[in-house]
């Protein structure tokens, strides 16, 4: 989604592994599939829902099935959901529903590998999560907005990224609406009394915030196919021409790039959808939502890059999802950097470097105001703080630096291995580290610790001087950050001679004050620090 820090070196890596948000996970419960039957109307904002949930109990002894569902309350202006019954195997089950927790009491403790299906009937007006409102043209629409944990306002489910399940949305709505959701449309039937039933089925498991629903009067274009999967555009009917033009490119090119360089596209289609529930883009699996203001008819660079970012998410964030909100950079940092990698591929190195420079400015500006901020959260408590600009921009830069440290070939080898291993599953930062270590043959614990688990920024004062007597170049490099941190990184210098020859040398930063020397027959014309822009750092560099 278009929506960032460091522990002491004395901490053991096992301590780093303990970081987790505070969601009450239950590893003994595995939700396999949701079927949401939802009735919508023009007479009221109330939705009527029946959720069928297929559960496998991985472990024995589970007595209570906990789901997320926001309860109607005066605090929410009488919005929220009211559960009327829960049925399993033909029997009515006891339950309690308080705040956002629905507790279903099993008739008897679970056995290992037990499969059970639960039918939950409920209704209410969503407080958020499903926006029921007029769009910019004054027409009534229904659009989901589940990020990061708002799906529980209208869907009974495990509302956390660690749980992935397949899903079906069976929507009954007035027949003048069209309905779009995850996966493939398997049925559309006109019903009596001016209603229409639309059934979408998602056969690939995804996390809760990636479920999507869009109900509006759309213009729909079947643009092309990629790997025999449909590429579609869904825009307001008033924006047909502009929307069909804007979304036609670079969708297929981005799908091809990520498939070739990372791994196969996981989903059954790719739809770009105009909506009024998001302000930028929302990477819902197979069906991406964009702001209703994104359609302007000129394929401008800003919205082009949002499209690329959201498509990158189909690989990172969607197919490979962070197991825990503390590791959200695995979604947003990755999508941001892989947007730049596509830009480099499609539009050239200068555009790529311009993107890195823009990210660097944002990282430095954020750090100046938030010097203690770190990328991997430490037991995230406030979901309002799940992402910041640093999650995107510094997360992206960390991947770029990692590519510089391990080398381009090893970087892509590790990325492909990571994706292959965790596709349609979840992963942690440590999982990613292990794949990159395996690909590169390097120990990357220190790199990951200093850039992801600690706050801080590498700041420097450096200089170079040519000694005519000794025929040497002398380089001084001081790390001048005042927070006590010390960064250990390889850094390059580019040496440019009067004959037009150039050479790059690499030095290892590992102390606050360092001096390096190397022989050179004549004085260089210039020496450039980090000429290929591999290290996130800021400071002064001069000739003495």
């Amino acid at each position: 989604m278009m929506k960032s820090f460091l522990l002491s070196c004395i901490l053991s890596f096992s301590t780093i592994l303990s970081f987790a948000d505070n969601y009450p996970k239950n590893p003994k419960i595995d939700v396999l599939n949701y079927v949401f039957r939802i009735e919508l109307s023009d007479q009221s904002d109330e939705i009527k829902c029946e959720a069928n949930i297929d559960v496998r109990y991985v472990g024995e002894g589970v007595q209570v099935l906990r789901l997320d569902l926001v309860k109607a309350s005066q605090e929410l202006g009488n919005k929220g959901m009211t559960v009327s019954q829960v049925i399993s195997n033909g029997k009515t089950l006891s339950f309690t529903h308080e705040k956002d927790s629905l507790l279903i009491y099993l008739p008897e403790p679970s056995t290992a590998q037990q499969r059970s299906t639960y039918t939950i009937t409920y209704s209410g007006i969503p407080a958020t999560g499903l926006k029921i409102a007029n769009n910019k043209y004054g027409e009534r629409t229904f659009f989901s907005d589940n990020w990061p944990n708002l799906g529980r306002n209208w869907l009974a489910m495990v509302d956390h990224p660690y749980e992935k399940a397949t899903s079906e949305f069976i929507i009954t709505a007035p027949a003048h609406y069209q309905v779009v959701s995850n996966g493939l449309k398997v049925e559309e039937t006109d019903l009596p009394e001016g209603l229409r039933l639309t059934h979408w089925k998602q056969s690939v498991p995804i996390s809760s915030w990636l479920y999507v629903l869009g109900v509006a009067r759309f213009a729909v274009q079947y643009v092309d196919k990629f790997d025999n999967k449909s590429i579609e555009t869904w825009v307001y009917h008033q924006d047909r021409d502009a929307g069909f033009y804007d979304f036609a490119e670079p969708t297929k090119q981005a799908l091809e790039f990520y498939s070739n360089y990372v791994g196969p596209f996981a989903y059954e289609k790719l739809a770009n959808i105009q909506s009024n529930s998001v302000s930028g883009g929302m990477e819902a699996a197979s069906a991406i939502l964009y702001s209703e203001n994104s359609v302007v008819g000129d394929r401008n660079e800003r919205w082009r890059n949002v499209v690329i970012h959201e498509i990158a998410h189909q690989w990172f964030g969607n197919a490979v999802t962070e197991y825990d909100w503390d590791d959200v950079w695995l979604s947003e940092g990755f999508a941001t950097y892989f947007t730049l990698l596509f830009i480099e591929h499609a539009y050239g190195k200068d555009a790529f470097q311009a993107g890195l420079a823009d990210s660097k400015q944002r990282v430095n500006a954020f750090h100046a105001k938030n010097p203690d901020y770190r990328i991997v959260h430490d037991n995230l408590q406030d979901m309002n703080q799940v992402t910041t600009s640093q999650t995107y921009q510094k997360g992206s830069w960390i991947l770029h630096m990692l590519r510089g440290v391990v080398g381009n070939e090893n970087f892509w080898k590790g990325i492909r291995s990571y994706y292959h291993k965790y596709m349609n599953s979840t992963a942690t930062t440590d999982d990613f580290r292990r794949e990159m270590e395996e690909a590169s043959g390097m120990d990357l614990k220190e790199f990951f610790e200093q850039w992801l688990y600690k706050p801080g920024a590498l700041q420097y004062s450096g200089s170079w001087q040519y000694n005519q007597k000794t025929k040497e170049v002398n380089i001084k490099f001081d790390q001048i950050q005042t927070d006590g941190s010390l960064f250990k990184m390889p850094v390059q210098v580019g040496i440019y001679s009067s004959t037009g020859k150039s050479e790059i040398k690499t030095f290892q930063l590992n102390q606050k004050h360092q001096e390096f020397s190397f022989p050179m027959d004549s004085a260089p014309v210039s020496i450039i620090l980090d000429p290929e822009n591999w290290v996130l750092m800021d400071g002064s560099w001069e000739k003495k």
Side-chain angles (χ1 to χ4, degrees):
M1 180 181 180
M2 297 291 289
K3 334 204 201 334
S4 323
F5 337 71
L6 305 169
L7 286 176
S8 166
C9 291
I10 63 172
L11 287 177
S12 69
F13 203 68
S14 62
T15 302
I16 292 175
L17 296 182
S18 70
F19 297 145
D21 64 39
N22 64 347
Y23 184 87
K25 303 181 185 74
N26 189 338
K28 291 186 176 182
I29 295 172
D30 181 17
V31 178
L32 301 177
N33 187 65
Y34 298 100
V35 179
F36 297 109
R37 291 177 171 84
I38 302 175
E39 296 180 15
L40 306 174
S41 82
D42 284 337
Q43 283 67 51
S44 168
D45 289 348
E46 180 184 48
I47 64 174
K48 297 178 180 179
C49 307
E50 180 184 277
N52 292 303
I53 305 177
D54 185 6
V55 176
R56 177 174 60 205
Y57 292 93
V58 179
E60 62 182 18
V62 177
Q63 300 183 50
V64 179
L65 173 63
R66 182 194 177 279
L67 299 172
D68 298 294
L69 185 66
V70 172
K71 182 180 180 180
S73 67
Q74 289 185 342
E75 183 182 356
L76 295 173
N78 295 317
K79 294 181 178 181
M81 298 296 125
T82 299
V83 178
S84 56
Q85 69 175 3
V86 178
I87 295 175
S88 181
N89 198 27
K91 297 179 180 179
T92 300
L93 302 185
S94 298
F95 66 89
T96 59
H97 189 197
E98 296 296 335
K99 294 187 177 180
D100 64 351
S101 294
L102 175 61
L103 304 180
I104 300 171
Y105 299 97
L106 278 59
E108 55 188 29
S110 68
T111 58
Q113 302 307 312
Q114 172 184 327
R115 287 279 296 271
S116 298
T117 300
Y118 302 89
T119 300
I120 304 161
T121 304
Y122 61 94
S123 61
I125 299 174
T128 185
L130 180 66
K131 182 175 182 178
I132 305 172
N134 289 351
N135 65 15
K136 67 179 182 178
Y137 294 110
E139 294 187 354
R140 183 172 172 85
T141 61
F142 307 74
F143 282 104
S144 57
D145 181 21
N146 292 342
W147 172 265
N149 64 340
L150 301 181
R152 66 189 66 186
N153 284 276
W154 63 294
L155 300 175
M157 61 182 176
V158 177
D159 194 11
H160 189 277
Y162 90 97
E163 182 64 80
K164 285 190 163 185
T166 57
S167 62
E168 300 175 52
F169 280 82
I170 304 172
I171 307 300
T172 300
H176 56 264
Y177 293 117
Q178 292 139 290
V179 177
V180 64
S181 186
N182 309 97
L184 297 176
K185 184 163 64 175
V186 297
E187 180 186 358
E188 188 175 72
T189 301
D190 284 345
L191 303 174
E193 300 180 2
L195 299 175
R196 176 179 293 147
L197 181 147
T198 310
H199 183 179
W200 286 85
K201 184 175 183 180
Q202 165 82 8
S203 299
V204 182
I206 58 175
S207 296
S208 59
W209 94 83
L210 300 171
Y211 297 135
V212 66
L213 180 64
V215 181
R217 291 183 64 199
F218 287 111
V220 182
Q221 183 184 37
Y222 297 91
V223 181
D224 203 340
K225 284 192 174 182
F226 168 75
D227 196 20
N228 208 33
K229 299 173 181 179
S230 180
I231 299 173
E232 303 170 10
T233 297
W234 295 63
V235 295
Y236 301 159
H237 63 96
Q238 297 94 337
D239 287 333
R240 175 189 180 276
D241 293 343
F244 288 180
Y245 178 78
D246 282 348
F247 286 123
E249 293 183 3
T251 299
K252 187 173 184 177
Q253 298 94 318
L255 289 168
E256 290 173 340
F257 174 78
Y258 297 125
S259 293
N260 290 336
Y261 282 85
V262 179
F265 176 57
Y267 304 112
E268 298 154 302
K269 71 165 188 307
L270 196 287
N272 292 314
I273 306 164
Q274 184 182 17
S275 76
N276 65 352
S277 62
V278 299
S279 58
M282 168 46 60
E283 64 272 13
S286 80
I288 302 169
L289 298 181
Y290 300 91
S291 164
E292 63 182 6
N293 296 318
S294 65
V295 175
V296 290
D298 63 3
R299 291 185 183 168
N300 65 75
E301 183 177 317
R302 176 196 172 194
W303 286 109
R304 179 203 74 186
N305 291 348
V306 174
V307 171
I308 299 166
H309 180 98
E310 305 308 334
I311 293 174
H313 265 309
Q314 304 301 305
W315 277 259
F316 301 110
N318 295 12
V320 180
T321 306
E322 59 273 18
Y323 177 78
D324 198 278
W325 285 121
D326 283 356
D327 284 328
V328 69
W329 85 282
L330 294 172
S331 175
E332 296 301 350
F334 273 62
T336 303
Y337 188 56
F338 278 79
T339 297
L340 289 178
L341 289 172
F342 175 79
I343 288 172
E344 181 180 36
H345 166 80
Y347 309 115
K349 190 171 183 178
D350 288 347
F352 172 74
Q353 290 292 343
L356 284 176
D358 180 68
S359 282
K360 181 179 179 180
Q361 290 181 349
R362 297 181 188 212
V363 170
N364 291 341
F366 185 95
H367 176 70
K369 297 179 180 179
N370 306 274
D372 297 327
Y373 189 84
R374 44 182 277 180
I375 298 297
V376 175
H377 299 301
D378 183 1
N379 294 310
L380 180 69
Q381 303 289 321
D382 182 0
M383 289 302 295
N384 290 321
Q385 302 300 317
V386 64
T387 60
T388 67
S389 64
Q390 208 77 326
T391 317
Y392 296 73
Q393 309 303 336
K394 189 174 180 181
S396 171
W397 254 99
I398 289 168
L399 287 173
H400 181 63
M401 289 189 290
L402 179 63
R403 180 182 167 202
V405 168
V406 304
N408 189 62
E409 183 177 342
N410 287 333
F411 175 79
W412 284 108
K413 179 181 177 183
I415 289 294
R416 285 189 288 268
S417 177
Y418 171 69
Y419 184 75
H420 175 78
K421 187 170 184 177
Y422 296 103
M423 178 182 175
N424 298 329
S425 186
T426 59
T428 66
T429 297
D430 190 47
D431 292 328
F432 175 59
R433 177 189 60 82
R434 282 196 298 265
E435 293 305 310
M436 297 308 294
E437 287 181 335
E438 183 69 23
S440 66
M442 300 172 64
D443 185 341
L444 297 170
K445 292 185 182 72
E446 191 168 65
F447 175 91
F448 274 66
E449 186 177 305
Q450 71 182 0
W451 290 109
L452 288 162
Y453 294 96
K454 295 179 182 178
L458 201 171
Q459 298 175 321
Y460 67 89
S461 174
S463 64
W464 69 274
Q465 185 176 39
Y466 183 71
N467 189 321
Q468 189 69 44
K469 291 182 180 180
T470 62
K471 302 293 185 181
E472 284 184 328
V473 172
N474 300 313
I475 291 176
K476 293 182 179 181
F477 191 96
D478 295 329
Q479 293 192 39
I480 60 173
Q481 58 269 15
T482 59
D483 58 5
S485 62
L486 174 65
F487 289 87
K488 298 182 180 181
M489 283 289 292
V491 65
Q492 296 177 336
V493 292
I495 303 111
Y496 303 89
S497 70
S498 58
T499 62
K501 293 183 178 180
S502 63
E503 179 184 5
I504 290 181
K505 290 185 177 292
T506 301
F507 301 99
Q508 183 66 38
L509 302 181
N510 53 29
Q511 299 176 41
K512 278 288 190 179
H513 173 75
Q514 292 180 263
E515 297 187 12
F516 309 99
S517 299
F518 56 88
M520 196 165 183
D521 291 337
S522 60
V525 173
S526 65
I527 295 181
I528 305 298
L529 179 67
D530 193 24
E532 297 183 342
N533 202 21
W534 282 114
V535 182
L536 180 60
M537 57 184 176
D538 194 43
S540 62
W541 177 255
E542 61 180 346
K543 176 184 178 181
K544 290 290 189 180

